[in-house]
């Protein structure tokens, strides 16, 4: 998969003697389009351009936002259990610390690459700005399939990665958190490694930690809860009874699994779910609890048996007829090649960057409502912010307070985005970006450019 991405981005070599200049020009345009369509950072920059035009953003600020503040690439040598040495590559990127310390997860995936992390860091900046959290945007990743490592190898990898990025993280510099394939245990190792280097316990260096070492209640389910609050707010606005909706969820990790579970508990009909091994479909609805138990025991949905469920591919899941589609896996899932086949009324983006700008245009023409990632999935970073505050104050809230404050912040952000989209006749994504970018631009203007 990574090789394909790299190939897509590779320079096309033109045998000049065989083709005309016009053809070269056309090829270059096609090449650029492929790049924008498949490279998440090109996609993020395109989204900035679209909004910059709409709000007449100062061209200097537009260029400023299209760059990341700093990118760190590190080598992570690990002594494997069999005595061999393996070297992994890791990244930590700060897109912006204008509004506060960097904030964003760390993902472990064999497909991770720098431009992906830069895009994810950029989206974190906008997410925090949209929600008015006093934080910037950052992201990290390690190019590894953690399922292929033993527990000891995973711990050594995490600790060495932390040591390599130690100078660019910290409670008032940049605060990592979980993302794809990382969770509380990995955050605990990061917190411990950082604290050992500083000579004292510093829980505020990461969020998404286990509760016993300064984590927050409600953090693990926060992204799912946030998706629910935003979806509920939208359904109230457009007079849809959520309980009667048929729902499809792509991705069955922390985000997909939790939102499927929350909606199932609220009485909604989840007709299909999938993970990287494929998906399951049943028109009359799936038993999500049973599937979650299976996933927790076997890692994947693969081999789950129920004669009433039909196996489907991970691509097919996106085009199933339903009311609400929740892409909660990775970037680049809804593209110009499948956007015409999407068969739903609402797309709620659980993943970061699941819809490309080209697909966005097609969905808009087709009248499909897209609730953008920086709003829909912002519950995770919002409760991370609560965890960060609780660590600073050494005073911990209960689950009621967490969920109530989460709902308040998300519903307020949704109301702002929804009214702006109506007022300016733009999509929810454009409205969300308009709000986030204007706030950020104001902060840049007020602080000025150093020196
Ligand atoms: N990884 C999550 C996201 O993409 C959460 C980040 C955080 O909590 O800092 O929003």
């Amino acid at each position: 998969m990574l090789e394909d991405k790299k190939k897509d981005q590779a320079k096309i070599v033109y045998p000049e003697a065989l083709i005309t200049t016009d053809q070269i020009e056309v090829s270059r345009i096609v090449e650029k389009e492929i790049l924008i369509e498949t490279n998440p950072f090109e996609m993020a920059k395109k989204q900035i351009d679209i909004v910059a035009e709409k709000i007449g953003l100062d061209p200097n600020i537009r260029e400023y936002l299209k760059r990341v503040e700093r990118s760190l690439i590190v080598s992570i040598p690990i002594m494997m259990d069999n005595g061999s040495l393996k070297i992994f590559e890791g990244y930590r990127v700060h897109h912006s610390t204008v509004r506060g310390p960097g904030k964003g997860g760390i993902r472990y995936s064999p497909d991770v690459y720098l431009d992906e992390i830069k895009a994810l860091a950029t989206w974190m900046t906008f997410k925090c700005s949209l929600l008015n959290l006093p934080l910037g945007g950052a992201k990290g990743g390690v190019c590894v399939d953690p399922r292929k490592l033993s527990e000891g190898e995973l711990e050594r990898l995490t600790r060495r990665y932390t040591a390599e990025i130690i100078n660019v993280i910290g409670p008032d510099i940049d605060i990592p958190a979980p993302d794809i394939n990382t969770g509380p245990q990995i955050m605990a190792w990061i917190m411990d490694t950082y604290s050992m280097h500083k000579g004292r316990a510093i829980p505020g260096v990461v969020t998404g930690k286990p509760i016993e070492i300064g984590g927050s209640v409600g953090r693990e389910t926060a992204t799912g809860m946030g998706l629910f609050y935003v979806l509920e707010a939208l359904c109230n606005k457009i007079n849809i009874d959520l309980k009667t909706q048929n729902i499809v969820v792509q991705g069955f990790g922390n985000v997909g699994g939790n939102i499927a579970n929350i909606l199932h508990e609220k009485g909604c009909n989840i007709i299909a779910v999938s993970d990287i091994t494929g998906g399951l479909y049943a028109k009359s609805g799936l038993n999500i609890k049973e599937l979650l138990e299976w996933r927790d025991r076997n890692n994947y949905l693969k081999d789950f048996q129920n004669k009433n469920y039909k196996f489907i591919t991970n691509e097919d899941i996106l085009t199933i007829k339903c009311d609400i589609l929740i892409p909660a896996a990775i970037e680049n899932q809804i593209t110009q090649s499948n956007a015409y086949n999407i068969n739903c009324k609402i797309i709620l983006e659980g993943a970061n960057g699941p819809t490309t700008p080209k697909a966005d245009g097609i969905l808009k023409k087709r009248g499909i409502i897209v609730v953008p990632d920086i709003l829909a999935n912002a519950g995770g970073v919002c409760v991370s912010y609560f965890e960060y505050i609780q660590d600073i104050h050494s005073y911990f809230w209960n689950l009621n307070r967490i969920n109530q404050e989460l709902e308040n912040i998300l519903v307020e952000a949704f109301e702002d985005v929804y009214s702006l989209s109506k007022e300016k006749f733009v999509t929810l994504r454009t409205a969300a970006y308009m709000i986030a970018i204007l706030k950020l631009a104001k902060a840049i203007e007020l602080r000025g450019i150093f020196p």
Side-chain angles (χ1 to χ4, degrees):
M1 209 174 154
L2 180 60
E3 280 314 299
D4 288 347
K5 272 188 207 157
K6 283 189 176 150
K7 257 185 251 148
D8 277 346
Q9 292 160 36
K11 278 257 158 306
I12 296 171
V13 180
Y14 305 106
E16 309 265 339
L18 298 178
I19 55 175
T20 65
T21 333
D22 276 359
Q23 282 172 313
I24 292 174
E25 201 37 55
V26 170
S27 302
R28 283 197 181 123
I29 293 169
V30 171
E31 177 194 1
K32 211 170 157 206
E33 284 188 355
I34 292 173
L35 194 70
I36 293 174
E37 187 69 3
T38 58
N39 179 312
F41 192 48
E42 292 300 325
M43 201 167 121
K45 288 192 279 187
K46 176 88 194 163
Q47 289 163 338
I48 295 172
D49 280 334
I50 294 172
V51 172
E53 289 298 328
K54 282 242 152 35
I55 58 177
L57 187 70
D58 174 344
N60 292 330
I61 296 198
R62 182 198 298 209
E63 282 321 300
Y64 191 108
L65 295 180
K66 284 160 77 177
R67 302 289 174 113
V68 299
E69 276 175 16
R70 59 190 67 82
S71 308
L72 179 61
I73 305 178
V74 296
S75 290
I76 311 164
I78 297 301
M79 203 47 97
M80 305 300 278
D81 293 348
N82 66 8
S84 69
L85 183 78
K86 236 179 154 169
I87 303 181
F88 297 89
E89 187 159 287
Y91 315 95
R92 187 73 193 169
V93 171
H94 297 169
H95 170 259
S96 170
T97 54
V98 173
R99 299 183 62 263
K103 187 82 195 81
I106 292 170
R107 66 174 54 176
Y108 285 180
S109 157
D111 296 331
V112 156
Y113 62 113
L114 185 60
D115 267 7
E116 178 187 15
I117 299 297
K118 283 183 173 179
L120 291 160
T122 309
W123 290 325
M124 286 309 302
T125 304
F126 297 148
K127 225 183 265 190
C128 294
S129 174
L130 176 65
L131 262 61
N132 261 326
L133 308 180
L135 297 165
K139 201 84 177 193
V142 178
C143 197
V144 62
D145 183 352
R147 292 186 185 91
K148 295 203 172 124
L149 301 188
S150 68
E151 168 106 355
E153 289 167 343
L154 189 63
E155 178 173 351
R156 292 198 289 283
L157 176 96
T158 302
R159 289 185 181 279
R160 181 62 188 250
Y161 169 65
T162 309
E164 294 296 340
I165 64 165
I166 204 153
N167 291 324
V168 300
I169 59 169
D172 40 31
I173 304 173
D174 167 20
I175 307 124
D179 197 79
I180 294 176
N181 292 332
T182 56
Q185 178 58 73
I186 288 176
M187 296 307 118
W189 289 327
I190 296 178
M191 181 267 189
D192 183 68
T193 305
Y194 187 85
S195 300
M196 285 297 120
H197 278 78
K198 303 289 171 186
R200 62 191 191 282
I202 306 182
V205 65
V206 281
T207 57
K209 298 175 293 293
I211 294 179
E212 295 77 3
I213 53 168
S216 174
V217 289
R219 175 61 187 87
E220 276 207 89
T221 50
T223 312
M225 282 311 291
L227 282 164
F228 173 73
Y229 292 137
V230 173
L231 180 61
E232 194 180 44
L234 173 69
C235 289
N236 289 341
K237 228 6 134 209
I238 58 177
N239 289 323
I240 284 185
D241 177 9
L242 189 50
K243 285 205 180 74
T244 62
Q245 305 298 296
N246 285 327
I247 297 169
V248 167
V249 183
Q250 184 206 35
F252 208 54
N254 174 281
V255 181
N258 272 313
I259 184 63
N261 192 32
I262 294 165
L263 290 170
H264 182 70
E265 277 178 353
K266 302 274 175 193
C268 302
N269 199 28
I270 317 289
I271 59 170
V273 297
S274 72
D275 66 12
I276 45 168
T277 63
L280 295 162
Y281 168 79
K283 199 163 180 230
S284 57
L286 302 166
N287 182 335
I288 299 297
K289 290 260 177 284
E290 226 171 66
L291 292 176
L292 285 170
E293 273 164 30
W294 176 270
R295 178 205 68 180
D296 291 344
R297 264 183 284 122
N298 303 285
N299 278 330
Y300 301 110
L301 287 170
K302 203 169 115 212
D303 298 331
F304 181 87
Q305 300 294 338
N306 183 323
K307 63 178 178 6
N308 300 318
Y309 295 0
K310 201 176 129 203
F311 289 101
I312 47 170
T313 68
N314 214 344
E315 289 80 47
D316 288 345
I317 194 161
L318 296 171
T319 53
I320 290 173
K321 183 171 170 27
C322 62
D323 299 302
I324 300 165
L325 172 64
I326 309 180
I330 50 168
E331 310 88 67
N332 274 332
Q333 297 304 292
I334 304 176
T335 65
Q336 59 178 329
S337 36
N338 61 7
Y340 282 107
N341 304 327
I342 302 288
N343 213 338
C344 66
K345 294 188 286 214
I346 297 169
I347 294 175
L348 180 72
E349 294 187 333
N352 292 310
T355 314
T356 66
K358 275 258 162 69
D360 246 345
I362 299 170
L363 298 170
K364 182 180 170 195
K365 273 193 219 125
R366 297 190 55 220
I368 296 174
I369 301 174
V370 180
V371 189
D373 47 6
I374 62 166
L375 170 65
N377 73 30
V381 72
C382 192
V383 177
S384 270
Y385 170 60
F386 298 159
E387 179 174 333
Y388 168 76
I389 301 175
Q390 294 171 83
D391 286 338
I392 292 173
H393 291 262
S394 289
Y395 179 78
F396 291 85
W397 311 354
N398 63 24
L399 188 58
N400 266 348
R401 177 166 178 196
I402 294 281
N403 283 338
Q404 195 51 61
E405 301 231 12
L406 174 64
E407 184 173 4
N408 293 348
I409 290 183
L410 287 180
V411 170
E412 196 181 317
F414 170 80
E415 292 289 340
D416 291 347
V417 169
Y418 191 83
S419 2
L420 190 68
S421 86
K422 289 285 160 228
E423 187 190 318
K424 303 279 181 204
F425 303 104
V426 294
T427 60
L428 294 177
R429 186 182 323 278
T430 302
Y433 268 70
M434 283 167 81
I435 295 172
I437 290 181
L438 277 170
K439 271 191 240 171
L440 198 56
K442 188 72 197 165
I444 295 169
E445 198 188 301
L446 285 167
R447 285 186 57 168
I449 304 293
F450 177 82

